[in-house]
Amino acid sequence: MHQTEQEHLIDMINQIAVNNISLGDDSVVADMIAGHVKKFWPRRMKVILNDYVVNEGGEHLHPAALLASKKLSKEG
C-alpha cells in the first residue's frame, strides 16, 4: 500500500520523536524535533506538516511531534 506524502511525513516526525524520547519530557523532545525540522526539512515538507496540524488537528502525531509542529507554526 502506498502512503501519501503527508502520511510519510507523519511517520518520519513520529520516528524522530520515538528515537529521542530518552532526552526527557515531551517539551525537551519537541525542541529537538523542531530544530531538526528547521535544519533538514525543505519548506514544502514543513508546509504539509503545518497544514496537517492546522486543518486536521495532528491527531496521528506523537505528543512531542505535535508540540514541535505547533512551536514551528508559531515561529512562522
Side-chain angles (χ1 to χ4, degrees):
M1 183 163 81
H2 295 285
Q3 286 186 314
T4 65
E5 187 169 17
Q6 177 181 293
E7 291 168 336
H8 181 68
L9 294 177
I10 291 167
D11 286 348
M12 286 174 52
I13 200 166
N14 284 340
Q15 192 63 47
I16 295 167
V18 169
N19 287 341
N20 290 283
I21 202 69
S22 65
L23 294 176
D25 66 19
D26 285 346
S27 180
V28 173
V29 178
D31 288 341
M32 189 285 311
I33 295 168
H36 176 89
V37 169
K38 279 195 274 188
K39 187 173 182 179
F40 296 110
W41 286 26
R43 179 170 170 24
R44 175 184 54 77
M45 290 168 62
K46 293 174 197 169
V47 167
I48 292 168
L49 178 65
N50 185 63
D51 288 348
Y52 169 66
V53 172
V54 169
N55 298 326
E56 299 179 43
E59 68 177 313
H60 297 291
L61 293 175
H62 182 283
L66 180 59
L67 184 57
S69 300
K70 289 179 178 180
K71 287 181 179 196
L72 288 166
S73 71
K74 287 180 184 177
E75 293 175 8

